[in-house]
Amino acid sequence: MDAKRETFETRLKSSAAEIEALLDLLLSPTELSDEIARPDLLRSAMHYAVLNGGKRLRPFLVVESAALLGGNRQAALRVGAALECIHCYSLVHDDLPAMDDDDLRRGKPTVHIKFDEATAILAGDSLLTYAFDIIAAPETDLPDRSKTELVLAIARAAGLGGMAGGQALDLAAETQAPNEAGIIRLQAMKTGALIRFACEAGAIIAGASTEDRQRLRRFGEKIGLAFQLADDILDLTSDIKTMGKATGKDAARGKGTLVGLHGMEWADKQLRRHVEDAEELLVPYGERAALLITAAHFIAERKS
Ligand code: GRG
């Protein structure tokens, strides 16, 4: 393994450990002020949904984007934890029988299998809500204006015009296959929006200039495209053991993907192009951006 990749993997692991420790604390049985009680079954399901493995890529992007622009690390960790709560909620709800109907996630039983469907729905609901709590709480040491910007940006990324809307388009795609532009839009919403937020959040936390914020946002967009393309390739080429979840489902359902439309050779080339574009965007930051650039490569080359 080359040195840059090694540094990246070490940093990804250490930020994942910090995020997990924070999530564990946030999901402890002790009530926060103004909470009346924390029902233990629901709290346990949330804890299980969040602390069951996972690469913690989105929080890593928040932390490292903030670090690039001189943002407060503790605040970035909290925003990363909030984002991971939303990501995990989306996985819990996506796995439900009414959606993808999966029994396995991150190599373990999905939340509705381990607990029950109603608890899984409520765990997702509560994780989504908790994300806004974590950002707005006094423990997140940021100016109120930055918190408002973060809450607005994460809401737009997760809601009707972002991830949840993308999931609705994805469900509709099972009965009517979208064209290429439709696939790109669906994926930008369903998967891309949270990844773009992760990178833009770093700039907001750092109180960066509009230009820096825009640059990080575009970087997030590019690696979001790479992430989804890699996911489509893995859905076709990987197996349940490596991925920790069912594979081949998109193809089996005749769901349109860019790989299905253009073939594997095109997808590989396109993936390289997205990573090059992402790298190009960070040129102004020189060596300081090396870690984020290695992250872009990792996203494109990941095996799970
Ligand atoms: C239910 C509102 C709602 C949205 C669901 C994200 C999502 C939308 C569905 C998940 C289905 C899926 C496999 C999407 C492809 C991209 C994706 C989010 C993969 C999983 O993310 P990783 O690889 O997972 O970062 P880990 O486990 O490492 O966190």
Side-chain angles (χ1 to χ4, degrees):
M1 206 192 310
D2 70 26
K4 276 186 180 165
R5 183 63 180 248
E6 212 171 311
T7 312
F8 163 74
E9 296 207 350
T10 311
R11 290 280 280 267
L12 178 61
K13 260 194 210 133
S14 68
S15 78
E18 280 180 275
I19 286 288
E20 286 173 6
L22 178 56
L23 286 165
D24 184 51
L25 199 70
L26 288 163
L27 291 166
S28 81
T30 316
E31 294 95 22
L32 303 176
S33 61
D34 293 329
E35 283 183 345
I36 297 163
R38 295 193 148 195
D40 206 55
L41 182 71
L42 180 57
R43 186 199 60 81
S44 303
M46 291 165 75
H47 192 278
Y48 178 82
V50 169
L51 287 148
N52 62 344
K55 295 179 287 296
R56 317 298 182 195
L57 205 54
R58 291 158 191 79
F60 171 85
L61 291 170
V62 177
V63 168
E64 292 304 335
S65 300
L68 177 72
L69 300 169
N72 171 339
R73 184 175 173 88
Q74 289 314 313
L77 283 165
R78 286 186 62 89
V79 174
L83 179 56
E84 191 67 9
C85 285
I86 295 191
H87 169 58
C88 294
Y89 124 71
S90 82
L91 300 179
V92 173
H93 280 193
D94 185 64
D95 290 334
L96 285 167
M99 297 224 197
D100 237 14
D101 195 10
D102 276 307
D103 293 352
L104 208 61
R105 167 72 62 186
R106 294 168 167 169
K108 300 194 181 81
T110 46
V111 177
H112 67 276
I113 297 289
K114 177 89 180 168
F115 295 81
D116 57 69
E117 259 183 68
T119 306
I121 293 170
L122 289 173
D125 293 341
S126 309
L127 284 171
L128 172 61
T129 314
Y130 205 14
F132 302 107
D133 181 326
I134 296 168
I135 295 174
E139 290 81 1
T140 302
D141 187 14
L142 288 174
D144 286 348
R145 192 187 154 78
S146 308
K147 289 187 186 181
T148 311
E149 283 178 17
L150 286 163
V151 166
L152 180 61
I154 205 169
R156 297 267 164 101
L160 174 63
M163 183 183 67
Q167 179 79 345
L169 294 178
D170 196 59
L171 292 171
E174 283 179 26
T175 42
Q176 182 150 29
N179 60 17
E180 179 160 6
I183 297 172
I184 292 172
R185 188 178 56 178
L186 180 168
Q187 296 186 339
M189 292 169 72
K190 183 179 138 178
T191 325
L194 287 197
I195 295 176
R196 184 176 79 180
F197 169 80
C199 300
E200 190 176 1
I204 301 174
I205 292 163
S209 66
T210 312
E211 197 197 329
D212 281 332
R213 180 166 167 178
Q214 202 54 28
R215 201 169 272 285
L216 265 294
R217 186 180 153 91
R218 283 172 56 216
F219 172 77
E221 247 161 41
K222 292 291 175 194
I223 61 173
L225 288 168
F227 184 97
Q228 184 61 55
L229 209 47
D231 207 68
D232 291 345
I233 294 172
L234 286 170
D235 191 61
L236 290 172
T237 57
S238 194
D239 54 40
I240 192 163
K241 192 162 172 281
T242 319
M243 294 294 279
K245 63 173 186 179
T247 55
K249 290 187 82 162
D250 288 351
R253 288 179 183 175
K255 216 184 247 184
T257 66
L258 294 178
V259 187
L261 215 58
H262 294 292
M264 206 57 98
E265 207 175 306
W266 175 92
D268 277 336
K269 223 185 267 169
Q270 191 68 9
L271 201 51
R272 277 200 295 277
R273 192 167 304 153
H274 290 321
V275 175
E276 277 166 24
D277 290 349
E279 253 186 76
E280 182 82 27
L281 281 160
L282 300 191
V283 165
Y285 308 110
E287 257 311 290
R288 283 187 298 131
L291 205 58
L292 282 175
I293 289 171
T294 314
H297 285 272
F298 167 82
I299 283 170
E301 293 153 18
R302 73 202 165 91
K303 300 281 175 277
S304 70

